[in-house]
Amino acid sequence: MSPVVHATGVRMGFGDVQVLNGVDFEVAAGEVSCVIGPSGSGKSTFLRCVNGLEPVLGGSLRVLGEEVGHSLRDGRYHPWSPKEYAAFRKNIGMVFQRFNLFAHHSAMDNVACGPVHVLGTRAEKANALAMELLDRVGLADHAHKRPHQLSGGQQQRVAIARALAMNPALMLFDEPTSALDPELVDEVLEVMRGLAADGMTMVVVTHEIAFAREVGDRLTFFADGVVVEQGRPAELLANPAHERTKAFLSSVRGPGA
């Protein structure tokens, strides 16, 4: 079976600033791949490339069997149109650091809007799906509340339900707990644990080292726009091979990490 994500030598930058310097990365179906690294290492930029939100300027990036950003037709590569990018993203759910919910909509409407407006699902069916997903993330009793009436952890769980409403083949998480108060972190991680247990293919950029060790199938350490090392989480965390990895882990480890 082909990898869900397959990157070879991926490069990306902004003007004279090179952010990704030749990233090699792979995710198999059903795998939970956790990514760690210092700020500015290119983790989030790479995730945005996987979702087609940033252009790949060099190398190859295949996601769900497609070369991201262009298609081969009549022996030539053609850049994707906005419509082709939108069609590609239908199969990928992405959860950001900030919740990005529609402030004037209820939790249920936030979850139902994608199926209605993107997939053309009837409102009644979309609302039923939204309630099912809100129940899955423990928020059925809050379905009619607006974002300002919810805690940060609850808003992030709504954001996860919203992404799941599109029935994605791949879920991307960009430091989903970094904007939360410490006491709210575990309620979001618990939802992610459930997704992993259900076999969802996930790429998780995170600073939650204990979560990566517990749930991840693979752990990748990014620094300076490249993959420094990767492996089984328990093995990499116990015996990192590179000094750069050792220095990072020593700076972020907390009790029990």
Side-chain angles (χ1 to χ4, degrees):
M1 183 180 294
S2 300
V4 175
V5 179
H6 184 73
T8 304
V10 168
R11 297 181 178 275
M12 191 276 170
F14 302 97
D16 295 331
V17 179
Q18 194 73 13
V19 181
L20 302 177
N21 295 297
V23 171
D24 297 325
F25 187 89
E26 189 172 290
V27 181
E31 186 175 47
V32 179
S33 185
C34 294
V35 179
I36 60 174
S39 297
S41 61
K43 311 182 302 295
S44 295
T45 298
F46 179 70
L47 214 61
R48 291 174 65 83
C49 288
V50 170
N51 202 26
L53 295 173
E54 299 291 356
V56 172
L57 302 181
S60 172
L61 177 60
R62 296 188 64 82
V63 178
L64 299 172
E66 296 189 74
E67 189 76 25
V68 179
H70 52 262
S71 301
L72 183 63
R73 296 192 300 271
D74 302 322
R76 296 179 58 189
Y77 282 104
H78 298 265
W80 281 356
S81 66
K83 185 176 180 179
E84 286 173 306
Y85 271 109
F88 167 73
R89 293 192 192 104
K90 287 180 182 179
N91 297 310
I92 303 173
M94 189 160 183
V95 178
F96 299 88
Q97 297 177 33
R98 296 291 175 178
F99 325 121
N100 297 328
L101 300 178
F102 296 116
H104 57 292
H105 286 323
S106 67
M108 185 174 73
D109 289 342
N110 266 280
V111 177
C113 65
V116 169
H117 296 292
V118 179
L119 302 181
T121 306
R122 289 185 298 107
E124 181 179 344
K125 184 176 180 180
N127 288 339
L129 173 63
M131 286 300 300
E132 177 184 327
L133 290 171
L134 287 171
D135 183 59
R136 181 176 181 179
V137 301
L139 291 174
D141 292 341
H142 300 275
H144 298 291
K145 291 182 179 178
R146 294 189 178 184
H148 75 273
Q149 298 173 298
L150 302 172
S151 70
Q154 290 170 333
Q155 290 185 64
Q156 192 64 295
R157 284 187 280 158
V158 173
I160 293 172
R162 180 179 61 183
L164 292 174
M166 299 296 288
N167 192 29
L170 170 65
M171 283 286 287
L172 308 176
F173 293 87
D174 187 8
E175 299 188 18
T177 61
S178 64
L180 302 178
D181 293 332
E183 65 269 21
L184 302 177
V185 167
D186 199 59
E187 65 186 56
V188 173
L189 295 182
E190 190 59 32
V191 171
M192 295 169 65
R193 290 184 186 99
L195 294 178
D198 290 343
M200 174 65 74
T201 307
M202 300 161 59
V203 182
V204 184
V205 172
T206 184
H207 287 294
E208 303 292 339
I209 302 299
F211 173 83
R213 182 175 58 190
E214 172 196 353
V215 178
D217 297 300
R218 185 191 302 259
L219 182 62
T220 301
F221 175 63
F222 267 64
D224 303 319
V226 298
V227 171
V228 175
E229 62 178 305
Q230 57 187 320
R232 302 289 295 181
E235 296 170 5
L236 191 152
L237 292 170
N239 297 293
H242 292 263
E243 290 300 322
R244 188 71 178 84
T245 314
K246 294 177 183 177
F248 174 78
L249 290 175
S250 68
S251 72
V252 299
R253 285 189 196 273

